[in-house]
Amino acid sequence: MRAISGLWRWRRNPLRRGTDLAEAWLAFLALLLILVLGPVIGSFTGHAAQDALQRSVREQQDSRRLVTATVIRKLDRSPLDVDPEATSGRSPRTRVVADWTAPDGTSRHGAVMAGLQTPHRGDHFDLWTDLHGSIAARPLDSATATTHAVLAGAGAALLTAALIEGGRRFAVWRMVRRRYARWDQAWDRAGPDWGRTGTGS
């Protein structure tokens, strides 16, 4: 809006300099680019991210299975153990030794994180594995993938707007520097006699 009002203000102003009009047109052009390019680039990035993430969702859901594991015994939690789901608002998880049957039919045994607050021998819990029974992370779900894609699109649109605005500010800075340089040259031409009465008479 400032760009449009700037153009209107300088339209017939007798004090208008060429650089004033150039700055107003530059601001107007930057505004148009932000309003047009920002959404286009954001939409393109969001769609590309959505396609890639949904493909990843399908691949993970095809290659991972939810199996039932049985607690053998509880393990003391090491301070170095990191549970990636502990901060995600899900139920508390405990480290246990468990047995489970892999999707390919083989029996597996090992230390895993169980979604049980107080596990006891013989308790059952769900466990994500790959097709061979090795522990795997929970597959990405479609809603989370869509959220990431929307955030990627919004980020790309904001980055585009920031780059355009940065380019506009740099161009204005260069114009102002040139204007100051011309003022310095004019002052140099005026010389030391500027302001003295009777100079040149």
Side-chain angles (χ1 to χ4, degrees), residues 50-127:
Q50 174 77 339
D51 290 344
L53 287 169
Q54 292 299 336
R55 189 166 47 252
S56 180
V57 166
R58 289 189 297 273
E59 289 172 359
Q60 288 183 17
Q61 289 177 348
D62 288 344
S63 64
R64 296 178 191 177
R65 295 291 183 270
L66 191 62
V67 300
T68 301
T70 304
V71 175
I72 302 302
R73 72 176 188 277
K74 180 180 177 181
L75 290 176
D76 292 331
R77 185 159 187 165
S78 165
L80 299 178
D81 287 341
V82 178
D83 181 8
E85 296 182 0
T87 59
S88 64
R90 293 190 171 91
S91 58
R93 296 168 65 83
T94 310
R95 190 168 173 79
V96 299
V97 174
D99 288 333
W100 66 94
T101 302
D104 62 5
T106 58
S107 295
R108 292 302 189 103
H109 176 86
V112 296
M113 298 299 292
L116 302 170
Q117 190 166 6
T118 56
H120 301 288
R121 182 179 178 85
D123 286 348
H124 299 290
F125 62 95
D126 291 333
L127 183 67

Side-chain angles (χ1 to χ4, degrees), residues 142-184:
S142 184
T144 303
T146 299
T147 301
H148 289 327
V150 168
L151 290 174
L158 289 174
L159 181 60
T160 301
L163 289 174
I164 292 171
E165 176 61 13
R168 183 196 72 80
R169 286 175 183 260
F170 179 74
V172 169
W173 176 76
R174 292 293 302 270
M175 283 189 228
V176 170
R177 290 283 302 261
R178 280 200 296 271
R179 184 187 305 156
Y180 288 162
R182 286 198 296 271
W183 284 354
D184 288 341

